[in-house]
């Protein structure tokens, strides 16, 4: 995952297909009422996407502070 800040309100995110699929399927699950529970594998994949986001956001902050 890579994040670029275009201006104060616009960001450009580069995601892998797997990251995008994880985010969209999770959003769809929530939008459809979030019935049942996520599998342990799905939870781990979401944690990985969040970790990738945190790392990319920290990198963006480092680039902006220079």
């Amino acid at each position: 995952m890579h994040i670029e800040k275009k201006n104060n309100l616009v960001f450009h995110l580069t995601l892998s297909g797997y990251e995008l699929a994880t985010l969209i399927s999770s959003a769809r699950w929530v939008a459809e009422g979030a019935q049942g529970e996520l599998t342990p594998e799905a939870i781990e994949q979401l944690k990985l996407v969040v970790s990738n986001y945190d790392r990319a956001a920290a990198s963006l902050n480092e680039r902006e502070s220079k």
Side-chain angles (χ1 to χ4, degrees):
M1 182 179 302
H2 179 75
I3 304 172
E4 292 178 44
K5 187 172 183 179
K6 296 300 182 181
N7 61 49
N8 285 338
L9 299 174
V10 177
F11 294 84
H12 180 158
L13 274 70
T14 304
L15 306 172
S16 71
Y18 206 57
E19 289 168 326
L20 179 59
T22 299
L23 292 174
I24 296 301
S25 62
S26 299
R28 181 174 287 126
W29 180 71
V30 169
E32 292 175 353
Q35 298 295 317
E37 297 206 10
L38 291 174
T39 65
E41 294 83 7
I43 292 170
E44 284 304 312
Q45 184 58 34
L46 281 168
K47 287 180 179 180
L48 179 60
V49 170
V50 170
S51 175
N52 290 347
Y53 171 80
D54 290 343
R55 189 173 20 261
S59 178
L60 174 65
N61 290 336
E62 285 178 17
R63 290 191 310 264
E64 286 186 336
S65 66
K66 291 182 180 180

